[in-house]
Amino acid sequence: AKVIGNDVDSDLAVIKIEAKMLYPIKLGDSTTLQIGDVIFAIGNPFGIGETATQGIISALNKNKVGINRYENYIQTDASINPGNSGGALVDSRGELIGINSAILSRSGGNNGIGFAIPVKMVQNVVEKLITDGKVVRGYLGVAIDDLNKEVSNLYNHKEGALVLNVAKDTPALKFGIKRGDLIFAINNQMVKDRTDLQNRIASFQPNEKISLQIERNKKDITVEIVLGNRAGLS
């Protein structure tokens, strides 16, 4: 196979296989999944050959796992072992809903806690890799944190990403984002926490114009921002 491109931050790559009689899997919709849905994990665990295991969706939107920079995992109790990574996670209709990525295990074997990258994120990354051979992401230029109990009483909104610092020579500084701002929505879609904000900003293209809904001094304001390019930044 030929490597078309890879993205370290999401742990995804696109390869091209020169072969005939290959049929693409039908893509599902990972945004409609619910906890308890029956799923199947397909892979090659321990190199023993193609295997399918059954389980359910244990949790959704899992982040802060510490595996990749951009995380929004589907958690499943289907048996996922070394060799399953890169395999398909499919729903009961056989549609692709995720790519098996990792397990949480002290022994190195399956403990019933596996993670898969949702197909929506996969599509976004894959399209960019095929088009450009790399993934370029929008860049805001802020240090952010979750809204914790100690400071939540200072804000009307109880969810969002709290701006701790604004870096120099960044879109955030240029367009007026300030330390202490609570970013609670992007393009009028609510932001849950700092990871949600990070993933959403990364889904936009550099130079794309977005609208941030911000709470500042208990007042809601809207700031229009043209994003920068995250390429080359740590």
Side-chain angles (χ1 to χ4, degrees), residues 145-194:
D145 200 357
D146 294 329
L147 189 62
N148 57 47
K149 294 180 180 179
E150 286 73 19
V151 297
S152 62
N153 62 324
L154 301 176
Y155 297 89
N156 295 323
H157 296 274
K158 301 309 175 185
E159 290 188 339
L162 182 62
V163 177
L164 301 180
N165 189 43
V166 180
K168 296 180 179 179
D169 301 321
T170 62
L173 183 64
K174 178 180 178 181
F175 290 92
I177 303 299
K178 297 182 179 180
R179 185 176 183 272
D181 284 349
L182 179 68
I183 303 174
F184 63 85
I186 301 176
N187 294 339
N188 295 311
Q189 294 185 341
M190 302 306 291
V191 170
K192 183 178 180 181
D193 53 24
R194 65 177 179 86

Side-chain angles (χ1 to χ4, degrees), residues 2-7 12-15 129-130 132-134:
K2 177 184 178 182
V3 177
I4 302 300
N6 65 81
D7 178 49
L12 289 169
V14 172
I15 61 174
L129 289 175
I130 291 174
D132 304 319
K134 61 181 180 180

Side-chain angles (χ1 to χ4, degrees), residues 4 8 19 26 41-42 68 111 128 138 140 153 158 165 171-172 179 183 199 219-220 224:
I4 302 300
V8 175
K26 185 176 180 180
I42 300 172
N68 300 323
N111 285 341
K128 292 176 180 178
L140 189 56
N153 62 324
K158 301 309 175 185
N165 189 43
R179 185 176 183 272
I183 303 174
N199 290 339
K219 294 182 180 179
D220 293 352
E224 304 290 335

Side-chain angles (χ1 to χ4, degrees), residues 43-197:
N44 182 19
F46 300 109
I48 62 174
E50 187 176 50
T51 303
T53 56
Q54 180 183 352
I56 64 169
I57 292 177
S58 305
L60 294 166
N61 308 121
K62 298 295 286 187
N63 52 54
K64 303 173 188 173
V65 180
I67 301 172
N68 300 323
R69 178 182 292 274
Y70 299 104
E71 299 180 332
N72 186 25
Y73 290 119
I74 300 167
Q75 183 181 327
T76 175
D77 67 347
S79 292
I80 294 177
N81 286 291
N84 278 101
S85 295
L89 189 74
V90 301
D91 62 16
S92 58
R93 296 179 295 275
E95 296 180 355
L96 182 71
I97 57 171
I99 300 293
N100 301 325
S101 179
I103 57 173
L104 188 62
S105 171
R106 292 180 179 177
S107 65
N110 173 60
N111 285 341
I113 303 178
F115 299 102
I117 303 169
V119 70
K120 184 177 180 181
M121 179 181 288
V122 173
Q123 286 176 286
N124 180 270
V125 171
V126 164
E127 287 173 3
K128 292 176 180 178
L129 289 175
I130 291 174
T131 301
D132 304 319
K134 61 181 180 180
V135 178
V136 289
R137 294 181 168 92
Y139 173 65
L140 189 56
V142 291
I144 52 177
D145 200 357
D146 294 329
L147 189 62
N148 57 47
K149 294 180 180 179
E150 286 73 19
V151 297
S152 62
N153 62 324
L154 301 176
Y155 297 89
N156 295 323
H157 296 274
K158 301 309 175 185
E159 290 188 339
L162 182 62
V163 177
L164 301 180
N165 189 43
V166 180
K168 296 180 179 179
D169 301 321
T170 62
L173 183 64
K174 178 180 178 181
F175 290 92
I177 303 299
K178 297 182 179 180
R179 185 176 183 272
D181 284 349
L182 179 68
I183 303 174
F184 63 85
I186 301 176
N187 294 339
N188 295 311
Q189 294 185 341
M190 302 306 291
V191 170
K192 183 178 180 181
D193 53 24
R194 65 177 179 86
T195 305
D196 188 20
L197 176 69

Side-chain angles (χ1 to χ4, degrees), residues 14-31:
V14 172
I15 61 174
K16 183 177 182 180
I17 302 172
E18 297 292 347
K20 298 180 179 180
M21 304 297 289
L22 297 178
Y23 301 96
I25 191 170
K26 185 176 180 180
L27 301 183
D29 183 359
S30 56
T31 64

